Amino acid sequence: LTAHSSKPNDSCTLAVTLPSGRLSTESGLGTTTADASGDATWTWRIGSTTDAGTAHVSITCSAGTALGIFTIT
């Protein structure tokens, strides 16, 4: 997942709430630093026992917050 901040080198945090309502603790989530263009990127794996359904994401940078959803099949 990549998000763009209006601030280069911004500190950004990704939180993923799984379809079960549990906050994911997978490696690769959490805080990262955006690059000089303002792009912050996270890579993680969905566990094999994770229920299918809609997951919710929250990305918070000092420049602002974005919310989104994705589907786990």
Side-chain angles (χ1 to χ4, degrees):
L1 176 73
T2 299
H4 181 77
S5 172
S6 60
K7 294 183 179 180
N9 306 309
D10 202 356
S11 177
C12 299
T13 301
L14 170 66
V16 176
T17 303
L18 299 171
S20 66
R22 184 178 65 82
L23 188 63
S24 180
T25 58
E26 288 294 324
S27 175
L29 300 174
T31 302
T32 193
T33 302
D35 63 19
S37 298
D39 292 328
T41 301
W42 296 265
T43 302
W44 75 99
R45 295 186 183 274
I46 305 293
S48 61
T49 61
T50 301
D51 293 335
T54 301
H56 297 261
V57 297
S58 171
I59 301 167
T60 303
C61 304
S62 66
T65 299
L67 303 174
I69 61 172
F70 65 93
T71 301
I72 298 173
T73 57

